[in-house]
Amino acid sequence: MTQLPYDPADGPKFWEEIRRLPGFPLQETMPIKHMIFESGALFRSTEILQSVGARKDKPLVIVMDETPKRRDGGDLKEQLLNTLRNDGWHAQLCIMPSDESGQVHTDMPHIHMVQKSLSPGCAVLSVGSGVVTDIAKHGCFLYQQAMGEQVPFVVYQTANSVSAYTSNMSPTFVDGVKRTLDSRYPDALICDLETLRDAPMEMTVGGVGDMLAVFVSFPDWYLAHRLGMDSTYSELAKNLVGPLGDLLMEHAEGIRLGKLESVAMLAKIIALGGLAMSLSHATTPMSGFEHVMSHVLDLQAEIDHAPLAVHGSQVALATLAGAEMYRRFLSDFEPAELNVDSCYPSMDSMRQRIESSFAQIDPSGKAGAECWADYSQKLEKWHAHRKDFESALKDWDSVRAHLAAETCPPETIRTILQAVDAPIRWSQLNPPIDEHRARFAFMHASLMRKRLTLGDILIFTDWDREALWNTIWKADV
């Protein structure tokens, strides 16, 4: 069996080993003090809380949503709260209300709700999946910014769903558009294997899908670096997560059947994914074109007050699209046939394009204005780094070989998804996404953010993206 190159359960040994990796930020000193992946870890909650400075004579603010959660045949929240109260904690519940879609989203009203619930000397325990974790995390961060006090913050992970748990960033809706805000690390992570095993399977397969994003995000990050658009690139993230495809394939059956060994492996991979972003000081290693496409889908749902599909499963299908995009581009792109002058659209033309495009789904213009504010920075930089693009075109054989090594065929990704019984078609998501929404997201994803991906290159080189999308959609049906 393939092994993790670095095991986050190893405590100080883990941090000592990864500090030697090229690109590790040496100012970081064991930012997450404990990460436990154990059967019965729930019953170590008091020990973990006290180890990071939480005090029983002060409030323990427990952030959760209203969603029922099961553990080992019983109610998870009841088991956890009873354990904490029996151990002498003064539990103060902070329950996140859902909106008209029936879901909770990471937005400033929820974040401020957490911030206002904090008081001097308190500690925070988030009990939930990615959204609850991000809300609690950023509420703690804003409290620290306002009061100058860093409260002890522990994450109790309730699903193997996303990489938020070990991240020091918070993807948050701003005017309906997802933006990644600088936030803080948790002081500790509790992964109780029975809790993760008994989480809804759609959340678990979403976690697999979220990790598969690297087959698009890694080449996107290298491409942006090679074109002078991102100076933060390093191979730290790739070295940290290791042979991710092999690990997921080998553990697919165990993940599907809820075997604790495989549940723990997925939890560790997800933890490494969050750390890969945090230690790189950017979401870029785990978030490329596929995540931006997913964000456009979320934007459409938010505007319509509709529920969101499971994040990781939506990302997985966008990853299939991104992998096919890479396959076609790496196979067919010929630099000698390119008119480089035509690859540099004006600021005015792109502003009009973005504002009119997003007005189709948000006539108020707020989404278009927010997208242009980010995209304009990318376009200015693209013009400023023309020489880097020209250099890459001259060295295209080398660039293409590197990109090809970072991505993989969509069939490989689909095989892993099928092995864990994850959705492989847009119609299989809950709620399902129709071709019109998926097409809009694919065609407009690159107009949303300042981060450069292959999607931008297709726009700048006037690639036939309609034909490419039709190929992608036919594979879906």
Side-chain angles (χ1 to χ4, degrees), residues 327-356:
R327 174 158 65 185
R328 296 286 171 154
F329 189 78
L330 296 180
S331 169
D332 299 345
F333 178 61
E334 293 294 343
E337 299 174 3
L338 186 66
N339 177 2
V340 176
D341 289 339
S342 68
C343 297
Y344 291 86
S346 70
M347 299 292 284
D348 285 343
S349 67
M350 291 307 296
R351 180 170 188 163
Q352 291 173 14
R353 179 172 180 172
I354 288 170
E355 290 178 346
S356 63

Side-chain angles (χ1 to χ4, degrees), residues 34 76 152 323 332 381 407 412:
H34 303 285
L76 164 64
D332 299 345
K381 198 169 186 179
T407 188
T412 301

